[in-house]
Amino acid sequence: MELISIIPDFQPRNDPELLKKAEALRPELHHTEYPAPAAYLLNGAPLTGNPEETELRQGDQLLADFGRHLVGRVSLQLAAAGSHQDAPAFLQLDLAEIPGELAEDPESYHGWLSPSWIQRERLHIDRLPAEETLPRRYAFRYVRLTVLGTSPKYRLVVKGISCRAESAADETRLPALPPLDPELTAIRAAGLRTLAECMQEVLEDGPKRDQRLWLGDLRLQALGIYASYRQTDLVKRCLYLFAGTTFPDGRMSANVFTEPEPAADDTYLADFALIYPMALQEYLSETDDGEAAEDLTEPALAQTDWVLAHCLGADGLITREAAKDCLIDWSDTLDRSACLTGVLICSLDACAGLCTRRGAELRAAAYRRVAAQLRRSALEKWWSEQEGCFVTGGQTAIHTQVWMTLADVMPEGRAEAAFGKALNALDSPRMMTPYMHHYYVTALLRAGLREKAEAHLRSYWGGMIAQGGDTFWECWDPEHPEASPYGGRVVNSHCHAWSCTPVYLIGRFFS
Ligand code: RAM
C-alpha cells in the first residue's frame, strides 16, 4: 500500500489565531552531551587500548556503539598521523538505530519512500586536525565510520565521536513510577525512551523519519505523555496545529509540516481525522483546559460530520470505496470498511462527550443516536454467527474484530473466540505495526481479557527488546522480521512514537 497523495494546487486553509497559539506553545529543547562511547570495533575486531591511538588507513572501518538510542548532532574529533596531509580525508558515516540497519545495502533500496531518509553522510576533510559536526540531526545508537580515502603519506586518527542529544522531554517532570518485574521494567523503559526521543518541537512520529506530526501517532503519544512526563502543553500545541491548518473544506490532514511555516499535507486519512475528537476528549479529561475546549471542539466535530456526510453508503455504513482513504494498519490486502466504521463509532462517542462537556446535550444525543444506529447496522451486516466473528469482503481479519470490539459492536462474550479465529486464519491479513497491536491490547482489555492483554504486551513489545531494541519500532511482525511497508527495511524507523504505548498501558492497567 503506497501512501502518496498529491493534490495539484493544494492550498491549506490556515487559521492564524490557532496557529499563533500553537507557536506560543513551542517547547524548549533540552540538550545533553554524550561523549565518545565505551565500545569501538575496528573492521569487526574489538579495539585494544585507546581508540585515539588507532591510526586508520583507506578502507578501514570503525564502529561506535553509544550504548543507547540518541537523537542529536554528531561531532567527530579528528587528527592526522604520519607525514603531511597531502590530500583530503574522505569519510563515510552510516548511522543506525539497530545493528540490522548497518547490514542493509542502501544502494539496493528501491522502495516507494524517498531513499534520502537513509542515514548516510559522506564528507571531505581538507585540514586536520579538525572538529566536524554532521549537518543533520540523526536518530541512532551506532555510528560506522568508513575511511574512503586518505593517502599513503598519512593516517586518520579518530580522537572521539560525540553527540549533542536533543529532546523536549523534561526528565525532571517524570514522576516516580511504581516498581515492576524486570520484564515490564525493561518494556516501560524502552517505551519511555521511545516517547522522549519523539518529543521534539512537535510530537514527531519518528526522529529518523518522517520527523513529522502525524495525527494517528499523536493520540498514542499523548496517552504516553499523560502517564509519564505530563507535558500537556506539547500535546496542546499539536492539537492546535492540526486545527490551525487544514484542507480547504476543514478536513484535517493526516500530518502537518511545521517548517518553514505550518502547512497541512495534502494527505487525508479518514481514520486519523476521526481520531482527533478522541484525542481532544482525552486531552480535556486530563487538563480541563477551557481555552482548548472553546477553540477546538468545533474543528473536532467537523471531522466526524464530514465522514458522516461523505463516506456512508445506502446501508448507512462506510463504503469500501471510502475505506480506501484510511490506514488502520499497513496492509495491502486488508478490507478496511468495518474497521473504519468502528473508528467512526468511537469518534461519534467522543463527539457526544465533547458536546456534553460544552453543555450541548441535544447535539450530544444526536451523535449518540447515529452511533447506536451504526452499531445495529454493522452487527447486522458483518457479524457471521456461522464463523463466530465479523467477516468483511470474505476476510476474518483481526483488525476488524478489534475495531468492532472497541466500538462495542462485538456481541457479549464472543470476543475471545472471534480473536482466536481471526489470528489463526492463515489467509487473514496480519497485524504489522505496534500501532495496530496497541488497539489489539486495548480491545482485549475492553473484552475483559486482562491476562491475555498483559501476555500480549509482554511478548510483542518484549520481542523487540529481545531483538536488541532499546526503543520500539514502527513496524514489527515477529514472524516476518524483515517486513517493511516501504519496500526496504533500511528506511524503517526504529524509534517510533506510535509504539511507545506500553508507557500508557502499563501505567494505566498493568502496575
Ligand atoms: C508513516 C509514518 C507515520 C504514520 C503514517 C501513516 O509515514 O510512519 O508514523 O502515521 O505512515
Side-chain angles (χ1 to χ4, degrees):
M1 167 191 175
E2 294 187 11
L3 182 59
I4 304 172
S5 161
I6 302 171
I7 301 177
D9 302 324
F10 179 77
Q11 293 293 338
R13 186 174 87 187
N14 289 350
D15 181 324
E17 281 308 307
L18 297 183
L19 290 178
K20 209 158 88 193
K21 291 189 184 183
E23 181 54 32
L25 293 162
R26 187 186 284 264
E28 177 198 349
L29 293 183
H30 305 279
H31 294 98
T32 318
E33 297 291 338
Y34 286 87
Y40 284 88
L41 290 173
L42 179 64
N43 293 353
L47 278 186
T48 47
N50 191 341
E52 269 192 39
E53 287 156 17
T54 307
E55 299 175 1
L56 304 179
R57 292 176 166 75
Q58 190 164 309
D60 278 348
Q61 283 192 325
L62 192 76
L63 178 67
D65 173 3
F66 275 78
R68 55 154 288 176
H69 190 278
L70 293 172
V71 177
R73 315 270 160 182
V74 173
S75 297
L76 307 167
Q77 295 81 42
L78 303 168
S83 185
H84 211 89
Q85 185 197 3
D86 62 335
F90 184 28
L91 309 182
Q92 175 173 295
L93 281 308
D94 290 291
L95 298 99
E97 296 184 302
I98 58 165
E101 247 171 291
L102 292 175
E104 302 277 339
D105 170 20
E107 310 294 331
S108 61
Y109 169 74
H110 301 292
W112 63 269
L113 208 65
S114 175
S116 62
W117 287 113
I118 297 172
Q119 302 196 106
R120 170 171 279 185
E121 290 289 346
R122 285 184 171 176
L123 47 149
H124 287 86
I125 322 285
D126 289 308
R127 303 267 178 279
L128 291 167
E131 161 119 9
E132 290 289 325
T133 301
L134 301 190
R136 302 180 60 224
R137 192 199 73 187
Y138 280 109
F140 67 97
R141 170 173 165 174
Y142 304 94
V143 179
R144 182 175 62 202
L145 180 153
T146 307
V147 184
L148 297 178
T150 50
S151 91
K153 281 173 80 83
Y154 78 98
R155 275 99 48 206
L156 180 76
V157 180
V158 179
K159 292 173 124 8
I161 304 178
S162 54
C163 174
R164 184 166 197 251
E166 54 195 53
S167 164
D170 180 352
E171 297 299 328
T172 65
R173 298 282 299 270
L174 198 59
L177 298 169
L180 299 165
D181 63 56
E183 186 176 45
L184 283 187
T185 303
I187 293 175
R188 183 175 62 191
L192 279 170
R193 182 163 293 164
T194 304
L195 176 61
E197 300 284 71
C198 295
M199 291 169 70
Q200 300 293 334
E201 288 194 337
V202 290
L203 290 171
E204 293 183 7
D205 61 334
K208 169 181 167 185
R209 203 218 80 241
D210 306 320
Q211 306 179 355
R212 199 179 311 149
L213 175 59
W214 284 83
L215 192 33
D217 306 55
L218 163 63
R219 179 195 186 194
L220 302 194
Q221 277 166 298
L223 292 176
I225 286 179
Y226 306 145
S228 58
Y229 294 99
R230 300 210 44 81
Q231 288 173 253
T232 51
D233 272 1
L234 186 50
V235 178
K236 181 175 183 179
R237 165 167 159 77
C238 297
L239 290 168
Y240 271 80
L241 280 166
F242 277 111
T245 177
T246 64
F247 275 54
D249 61 6
R251 266 181 300 160
M252 285 184 192
S253 172
N255 69 96
V256 164
F257 298 102
T258 40
E259 299 296 337
E261 300 292 335
D265 185 20
D266 51 353
T267 301
Y268 176 72
L269 290 173
D271 54 338
F272 279 22
L274 288 170
I275 275 171
Y276 189 88
M278 304 181 218
L280 179 60
Q281 201 197 16
E282 286 153 0
Y283 170 78
L284 295 177
S285 310
E286 285 297 320
T287 59
D288 213 11
D289 180 338
E291 181 193 36
E294 171 85 32
D295 288 339
L296 303 179
T297 297
E298 286 305 330
L301 302 181
Q303 305 315 307
T304 315
D305 293 346
W306 192 92
V307 172
L308 289 177
H310 295 89
C311 301
L312 303 186
D315 57 4
L317 294 166
I318 295 277
T319 61
R320 288 182 90 173
E321 197 47 37
K324 285 184 184 148
D325 273 345
C326 73
L327 181 81
I328 304 295
D329 190 16
W330 284 112
S331 166
D332 288 337
T333 53
L334 176 65
D335 180 306
R336 293 167 163 82
S337 32
C339 299
L340 187 55
T341 302
V343 182
L344 173 59
I345 294 170
C346 296
S347 189
L348 285 159
D349 287 346
C351 289
L354 290 171
C355 290
T356 300
R357 183 175 274 280
R358 314 262 317 134
E361 265 317 322
L362 281 179
R363 264 178 106 183
Y367 282 119
R368 285 196 195 98
R369 269 198 306 279
V370 182
Q373 180 55 50
L374 277 165
R375 285 190 175 97
R376 283 192 293 274
S377 308
L379 188 66
E380 199 179 307
K381 178 162 179 183
W382 289 311
W383 176 257
S384 160
E385 193 53 45
Q386 195 188 337
E387 297 289 339
C389 66
F390 291 93
V391 182
T392 59
Q395 289 177 0
T396 54
I398 182 68
H399 310 68
T400 301
Q401 318 310 318
V402 163
W403 277 107
M404 288 287 96
T405 303
L406 291 172
D408 289 334
V409 185
M410 178 67 80
E412 187 73 28
R414 309 296 292 272
E416 188 167 13
F419 291 159
K421 173 120 193 170
L423 289 171
N424 291 326
L426 294 177
D427 52 350
S428 274
R430 296 176 57 78
M431 293 186 283
M432 193 168 182
T433 58
Y435 177 74
M436 186 62 219
H437 280 266
H438 165 83
Y439 286 115
Y440 174 54
V441 171
T442 52
L444 286 167
L445 288 165
R446 187 146 196 120
L449 303 166
R450 194 186 167 284
E451 276 177 25
K452 279 202 165 191
E454 183 175 335
H456 188 74
L457 179 133
R458 286 177 185 269
S459 73
Y460 182 73
W461 276 271
M464 285 181 260
I465 294 178
Q467 293 294 310
D470 65 345
T471 50
F472 293 129
W473 311 341
E474 77 169 313
C475 153
W476 171 240
D477 176 351
E479 290 191 20
H480 302 279
E482 296 307 316
S484 164
Y486 313 113
R489 196 181 174 195
V490 68
V491 294
N492 281 17
S493 151
H494 293 97
C495 175
H496 215 66
W498 69 20
S499 314
C500 77
T501 59
V503 173
Y504 158 75
L505 294 168
I506 292 173
R508 181 80 191 274
F509 302 102
F510 306 124
S511 57

